[in-house]
Amino acid sequence: MTSTLDQVFAALGDGTRRQILTMLLEDDMAVTDVAEPFEMSLAAVSKHLAILTRAGLISQEKRGRVKWCKLEPQAMREAVVWIESFGQLEALNFDAFEEFLERELSD
Amino acid sequence: MTSTLDQVFAALGDGTRRQILTMLLEDDMAVTDVAEPFEMSLAAVSKHLAILTRAGLISQEKRGRVKWCKLEPQAMREAVVWIESFGQLEALNFDAFEEFLERELSD
DNA sequence: GGCACATTCAACCATTTGGTTGACGATTAA
DNA sequence: TTAATCGTCAACCAAATGGTTGAATGTGCC
């Protein structure tokens, strides 16, 4: 049951990585610049970026010797849909909802 | 930097746990009943429930020898707020909602 | 060419996760 | 009181996380 959803949520489950994503809202950044505000090694930040890349939350493109990190916010979409749909489901009367589903999916 | 947000996102980063949350949408459940559809030991499910409890996504109350699990969906609120800050959450699109339903409720 | 810079790789370490099995304490029911 | 049920605990295992350091690889600059 390893889906993208697994990786997206897991990637978001770390404050350092959420902070990186927030930084990338402003602009694309080189790995070294991403690492600058953190009190950890460059290699550690590089690993965080790999996890974000694997989850599809960022992309990395090498130009010259610099690797640029770019936010890919649509990767969050599936997670948003899950979490938001969850909220909507919760508000529903489940029995009525099942009837609705049967009607809707039976053709 | 371990926040509730860390725990909520990390807890959601596992398909088994998301499925448990979906099951609990319908009604409160005993641990044994939660475990029933899964092909893993009761002890394993018990650990998943502990992780969900630590994240605040469910609560557990023991009555007699049965421990009841109850969804606490407001724990997701902080996560929704965070994720919404990326401006990706437009009005929920119905197609995506249906996709979600088919994924979550098909089996 | 040679040096400095940007980034990753490799090896290591401690902790957490996701699973197992078997024993155990608590509770209910016969 | 004895037996069955509910759920966790303890010990173990393999794999992943989050970090370190030091060496290696590319690339740009003088």
Side-chain angles (χ1 to χ4, degrees), chain A residues 29-96:
Chain A
M29 294 179 80
V31 173
T32 304
D33 295 330
V34 170
E36 196 272 332
F38 296 101
E39 287 181 352
M40 68 180 73
S41 68
L42 188 59
V45 172
S46 181
K47 284 190 191 177
H48 281 300
L49 291 171
I51 290 174
L52 289 169
T53 300
R54 216 172 44 200
L57 288 163
I58 68 169
S59 59
Q60 293 183 287
E61 184 199 354
K62 194 164 183 180
R63 286 202 297 275
R65 61 180 168 177
V66 173
K67 203 166 188 181
W68 293 92
C69 304
K70 183 180 187 313
L71 192 63
E72 299 286 351
Q74 74 278 10
M76 245 176 259
R77 175 127 191 92
E78 204 189 344
V80 168
V81 167
W82 190 89
I83 215 170
E84 189 67 9
S85 302
F86 198 87
Q88 297 214 0
L89 272 181
E90 181 227 339
L92 292 171
N93 172 311
F94 204 82
D95 293 338

Side-chain angles (χ1 to χ4, degrees), chain A residues 86-106:
Chain A
F86 198 87
Q88 297 214 0
L89 272 181
E90 181 227 339
L92 292 171
N93 172 311
F94 204 82
D95 293 338
F97 183 64
E98 277 187 333
E99 287 170 25
F100 163 79
L101 261 192
E102 281 182 31
R103 275 200 313 279
E104 287 304 309
L105 302 180
S106 69

Side-chain angles (χ1 to χ4, degrees), chain B residues 16-17 20 30-36 38 40-54 58 60 67 69:
Chain B
T16 299
R17 288 192 293 262
I20 290 173
V31 172
T32 303
D33 296 329
V34 169
E36 197 273 331
F38 296 102
M40 69 180 73
S41 67
L42 186 60
V45 171
S46 180
K47 284 192 193 177
H48 281 300
L49 291 172
I51 290 174
L52 288 169
T53 300
R54 218 173 40 201
I58 68 169
Q60 292 182 289
K67 203 166 187 180
C69 303

Side-chain angles (χ1 to χ4, degrees), chain B residues 43-84:
Chain B
V45 171
S46 180
K47 284 192 193 177
H48 281 300
L49 291 172
I51 290 174
L52 288 169
T53 300
R54 218 173 40 201
L57 287 163
I58 68 169
S59 58
Q60 292 182 289
E61 184 199 355
K62 194 164 182 180
R63 287 202 296 274
R65 62 180 169 179
V66 174
K67 203 166 187 180
W68 293 91
C69 303
K70 182 181 189 309
L71 193 62
E72 299 287 350
Q74 74 278 10
M76 249 177 253
R77 184 78 205 132
E78 203 191 343
V80 171
V81 167
W82 188 89
I83 219 169
E84 274 180 355

